[in-house]
Each structure stands twice: as C-alpha cells, then as structure tokens.
C-alpha cells in the first residue's frame, strides 16, 4: 500500500512538473503562476489524502466518487499536456545533440528553449478532456438515451412477431444524487410501453441500504403485460468490501435479492420461465452473475434444464463475457442474450458508424448489438454510474428491442 502510494505520488509529481512548464510558458504573470501552484498543491493534497482514507469495510461513498472525479478532471488534461511536452523534449534532445556533436556548435545551450506555440497547443488540447469531464459530471451522467433495436429471427414464433422488450441494467443506486433526474428516467421507461421489461443486474454498488431511498421511485415503473424480470449483477454479491463477519455479508445479499421484489421485479436465479402469448411461448432464462474475471455463480445448465435447442430463448446474463465464453456456441442455442456490466467505461466516442471506448480492450462485446453463429447479444450501456461520477460520450441507456420474424 505504501509503495503504491509513493509510486502514485511520483507519477503525479512528474505530470505536475510538465503541466506547470506548459502553463509557465504561456502565462508569465507571477500572480497567475502562484495561484496555479497553490490550487494544484491543494488538489494534489486532497486527492492523496482521500485515497489514504479509503475504507475497505465501507466501499464506495460520495467522498470516493468526488475523489475519482477530481483525479480524472485534474490529471487527464495534465497528462495530455505532459505527452505533448514530453514529445517536444525528445525533439529538443535530438536537435540539441545533433547541433552539439554533428555541427560542433558549442556557442548555444545544448537544449533549445521551449516554444510557446507548442505549450499553447498542449493547453488547448488539454482543455478538451477538461471540459468533457465537467460535462460528464454535471449533465452527461443523467443524459438518458432511449435506443431502439429491431432484431430478426427466422424461428421466432409467429405470435411474438413485433414483441417489444425494455431492457435496463446497472442501476447502481448508491451513486444517485438527483431524484428529479431519476424520476425523469423512470418516465422514459414508462413511455416505451413495451410488452415486457428486463433488468440485468447491479441494483446497488454494495449495500442493500443504498436502494432504500429509491424504492418508491422505481416502483413507479408501471406493470408490463408480460411481466418484469431481473437477474443479479456482480455488485449485488457485496464482494468488493471487507465485511466484519460472513453472516453480515450473507444478510446483505439476502436483502439485495429482496430489493428486486420490492420494486416489482421477479428475480430469476439460474432458472427459466415461459412467456405465453396465444398458443405460443418463448423461454426467458435468467442466470446469476458469470464473468470471465468476476464471480462465476451462473449455472447455464441448471437454468436451461428441460429446454430444447428448438425452444426460442431469451437469456439474461449480466456480464457479456459469459456470452463469449459459454453462451454463443452452446448446444441449446440461446437466440438472444441481454447483458450490461461494462457501462462502456462511461467514457468514449459514439458517432454514427464509429464507436470507441477503453472497454473494447477488455470486452469483445461492450456496447450495443453483436451477432455470431446466428445468435445475438445486446450489451446495455447502463442506467447508472459507478467509480467515476459522470459519463462522457457513452450515455446512460434505456433499450427497447423489438423481436421480428424474418
């Protein structure tokens, strides 16, 4: 712990040194430089202090959210400036060495001085993530998007042609701080007027009590004609803090499972049910969390007992890595899997025809619709937020999926 803290302080110190060089090259007023140094020192001290106060028996709090937000807000722009000035330093060393050793010019300093326009470019580019992160923390985290997706299946039962599913995931109620915005999101959910609503886990960050202030709000989700169903996510198991006793951890887990019922959702725990429409039906399968790098409580074999490969199946599984490693080539042929978990890292770029996020380097399926072997997975970008108290480029999502007969 001490070594990691010292390493963090060293890295931040180097970044601070380069960022100050950029600022000093552009702004030469003494009072401005002094003010910059004071603010930077205070923010640095607050961030380091906050990290030392993190309590593994409590987990994420408003304090840790604020600290992570400040860390990114302060240091991502400074990292951008540092990279540009470091690149200039490489040029200065190479140019100075060439002049000194090749041209034998010893009349001037070995290193050329910093160029003002390079520092101006560095500060200008640094302003982009700075303003983006402020937007993400003030507006982006509640900038809900309704994304509609139509998926065609040749073997969809005729009665379900046009059947609509509202899909939400990753509520993370312990991070919420604006009841008005959450009520607005619930209104958006109700406006979709889908046949069924499915929730793919992470109702809290850690503690069941996080959801208590929001139970009435989420009870405003109106009844859907074919029901409201859910599964557990990795955060619902309370495994990211140190519990005083195993009994308290188990009691919290029991309370979290009860929360889903408290807001009107039927929790599927490695089991399936049938959705009947007229004389035809489809199977809705729900597994506990199964992640390549997270808890593997999901039991697909148990959940799909008595189902055949010819039954049309919609699977709810929180972590999309489950689809990649177990589901997509499963002999029982799961037609559509609904997942969440990644949040799209809450930071990225999405424009028509292009999307990018750091999430794609950890998850092959990280946001939106994917297809292999005639089987589909849809990864919801998440309803809430976690760790970083904002969203930049990857907005909170309410998905509406329409099943269509090809």
């Amino acid at each position: 712990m001490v070594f990691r803290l010292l390493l963090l302080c060293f890295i931040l110190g180097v970044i601070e040194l380069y960022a100050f060089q950029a600022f000093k090259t552009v702004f030469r007023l003494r009072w401005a430089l002094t003010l910059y140094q004071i603010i930077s020192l205070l923010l640095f001290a607050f961030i380091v202090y906050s990290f030392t106060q993190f309590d593994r028996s409590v987990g994420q709090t408003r304090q840790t959210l604020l600290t992570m937000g400040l860390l990114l807000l302060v240091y991502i722009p400074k990292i951008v400036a540092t990279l540009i000035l470091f690149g200039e330093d490489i040029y200065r060393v190479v140019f100075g060495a060439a002049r000194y050793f090749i041209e034998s010019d010893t009349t001037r300093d070995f290193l050329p001085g910093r160029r003002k326009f390079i520092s101006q470019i560095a500060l200008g580019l640094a302003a982009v993530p700075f303003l983006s992160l402020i937007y993400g923390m003030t507006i982006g985290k509640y900038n809900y998007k309704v994304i509609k997706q139509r998926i065609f299946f040749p073997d969809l039962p005729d009665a379900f042609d046009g059947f609509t599913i509202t899909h939400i995931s990753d509520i993370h109620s312990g991070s919420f701080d604006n009841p008005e915005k959450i009520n607005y999101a619930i209104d958006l959910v109700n406006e979709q007027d889908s046949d069924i609503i499915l929730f793919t886990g992470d109702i809290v960050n850690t503690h069941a009590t996080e959801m208590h202030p929001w139970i009435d709000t989420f009870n405003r989700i109106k009844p859907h004609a074919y029901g409201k169903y859910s599964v557990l996510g990795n955060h619902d198991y309370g495994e990211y803090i140190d519990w005083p006793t195993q009994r308290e951890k188990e009691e919290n887990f029991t309370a979290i499972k009860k929360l889903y019922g408290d807001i009107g959702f039927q929790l599927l725990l490695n089991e399936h049910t049938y959705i009947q429409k007229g004389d035809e039906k489809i199977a809705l399968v729900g597994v506990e969390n199964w992640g390549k790098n997270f808890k593997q409580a999901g039991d697909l074999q148990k959940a799909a007992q008595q189902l055949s490969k010819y039954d049309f199946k919609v699977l709810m599984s929180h972590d999309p890595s489950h689809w990649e490693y177990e589901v997509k080539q499963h002999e029982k042929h799961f037609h559509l899997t609904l997942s969440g978990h990644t949040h799209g890292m809450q930071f990225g770029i999405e424009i028509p025809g292009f999307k990018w996020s750091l999430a794609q380097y950890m998850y092959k399926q990280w946001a939106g619709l994917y297809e292999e072997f005639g089987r589909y997975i849809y990864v919801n970008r998440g309803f809430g937020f976690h760790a970083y108290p904002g969203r930049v480029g990857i907005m909170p999502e309410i998905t509406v999926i329409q099943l269509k007969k090809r």
Side-chain angles (χ1 to χ4, degrees):
M1 177 65 180
V2 174
F3 173 76
R4 284 185 291 179
L5 186 59
L6 290 174
L7 180 62
L8 175 64
C9 290
F10 173 76
I11 294 172
L12 296 183
V14 172
I15 293 170
E16 287 286 4
L17 179 62
Y18 269 101
F20 179 70
Q21 289 294 317
F23 194 85
K24 184 175 70 172
T25 304
V26 176
F27 300 97
R28 299 184 181 275
L29 295 174
R30 184 177 296 276
W31 69 265
L33 296 176
T34 302
L35 182 62
Y36 173 88
Q37 289 175 310
I38 292 173
I39 293 174
S40 294
L41 179 61
L42 290 174
L43 288 172
F44 176 82
F46 176 80
I47 290 169
V48 171
Y49 171 78
S50 294
F51 273 112
T52 64
Q53 299 304 301
F54 179 74
D55 188 347
R56 282 240 359 137
S57 67
V58 176
Q60 178 175 286
T61 63
R62 295 288 170 81
Q63 174 85 2
T64 59
L65 278 171
L66 174 62
T67 301
M68 182 58 72
L70 280 176
L71 178 69
L72 298 177
L73 183 63
V74 171
Y75 286 103
I76 286 184
K78 289 184 177 182
I79 288 171
V80 171
T82 296
L83 292 174
I84 294 171
L85 264 63
F86 183 71
E88 185 190 24
D89 278 350
I90 294 175
Y91 166 81
R92 291 166 69 205
V93 169
V94 172
F95 183 78
R99 188 172 61 188
Y100 186 86
F101 293 108
I102 298 175
E103 300 177 11
S104 300
D105 184 355
T106 60
T107 61
R108 290 182 286 181
D109 292 337
F110 179 80
L111 284 179
R114 290 201 179 279
R115 292 166 292 178
K116 183 177 180 179
F117 84 93
I118 295 294
S119 293
Q120 289 173 328
I121 290 172
L123 292 180
L125 291 176
V128 175
F130 180 77
L131 295 174
S132 298
L133 287 162
I134 289 179
Y135 167 84
M137 294 168 65
T138 55
I139 299 174
K141 64 183 179 181
Y142 293 127
N143 186 16
Y144 291 95
K145 301 297 182 184
V146 176
I147 297 180
K148 298 188 177 184
Q149 182 74 59
R150 181 178 292 177
I151 309 176
F152 291 84
F153 299 92
D155 52 349
L156 179 70
D158 291 337
F160 287 87
D161 187 16
F163 190 81
T164 52
I165 301 169
T166 292
H167 174 207
I168 59 174
S169 191
D170 299 87
I171 285 176
H172 288 285
S173 54
S175 301
F176 292 155
D177 57 11
N178 191 323
E180 181 181 351
K181 296 295 186 181
I182 303 305
N183 274 292
Y184 164 72
I186 299 302
D187 289 339
L188 283 179
V189 169
N190 288 333
E191 285 173 12
Q192 306 318 308
D193 199 26
S194 295
D195 294 308
I196 193 172
I197 182 167
L198 306 179
F199 171 23
T200 49
D202 277 1
I203 196 170
V204 295
N205 296 329
T206 300
H207 296 92
T209 53
E210 297 166 12
M211 186 64 182
H212 290 174
W214 306 100
I215 288 176
D216 289 343
T217 303
F218 279 85
N219 266 319
R220 291 185 52 243
I221 296 178
K222 66 183 183 181
H224 286 57
Y226 293 89
K228 301 159 70 173
Y229 295 90
S230 59
V231 293
L232 296 172
N234 57 303
H235 280 268
D236 295 328
Y237 295 85
E239 297 201 331
Y240 302 116
I241 70 167
D242 297 327
W243 292 92
T245 65
Q246 181 64 24
R247 179 178 178 180
E248 289 181 63
K249 180 181 178 181
E250 292 171 357
E251 288 175 348
N252 182 68
F253 183 46
T254 299
I256 286 174
K257 288 187 287 186
K258 181 177 180 296
L259 287 175
Y260 286 93
D262 291 341
I263 62 171
F265 282 78
Q266 181 178 336
L267 187 61
L268 297 179
L269 299 168
N270 295 324
E271 57 188 313
H272 69 268
T273 187
Y274 288 104
I275 308 300
Q276 189 86 29
K277 191 174 183 183
D279 295 329
E280 296 181 298
K281 62 185 179 181
I282 62 176
L284 178 64
V285 185
V287 295
E288 292 192 52
N289 190 79
W290 192 103
K292 183 66 170 66
N293 299 308
F294 292 90
K295 187 176 184 69
Q296 297 184 354
D299 188 336
L300 195 57
Q301 294 300 121
K302 178 181 178 182
Q305 277 182 353
Q306 299 177 340
L307 292 177
S308 78
K309 64 182 295 185
Y310 303 106
D311 292 313
F312 189 92
K313 293 173 285 294
V314 175
L315 170 67
M316 291 190 290
S317 181
H318 177 73
D319 190 320
S321 66
H322 191 203
W323 190 78
E324 178 65 23
Y325 288 96
E326 282 202 345
V327 176
K328 70 180 183 181
Q329 296 190 67
H330 196 280
E331 60 182 8
K332 288 199 173 179
H333 191 99
F334 292 88
H335 297 72
L336 172 64
T337 300
L338 302 180
S339 297
H341 181 64
T342 72
H343 302 202
M345 288 291 285
Q346 298 170 208
F347 192 99
I349 300 170
E350 284 201 85
I351 56 178
F354 176 80
K355 62 182 179 182
W356 173 90
S357 167
L358 290 172
Q360 70 191 57
Y361 304 112
M362 292 175 277
Y363 295 92
K364 189 174 179 181
Q365 299 82 27
W366 60 276
L369 185 67
Y370 302 83
E371 180 270 333
E372 287 187 49
F373 311 112
R375 305 166 194 198
Y376 293 86
I377 181 173
Y378 191 92
V379 184
N380 182 283
R381 294 158 180 84
F383 187 95
F385 52 92
H386 181 257
Y388 164 60
R391 284 179 174 266
V392 179
I394 309 292
M395 296 303 145
E397 176 179 358
I398 298 162
T399 316
V400 179
I401 294 173
Q402 185 181 49
L403 307 181
K404 290 295 292 181
K405 181 99 173 185
R406 188 180 297 281

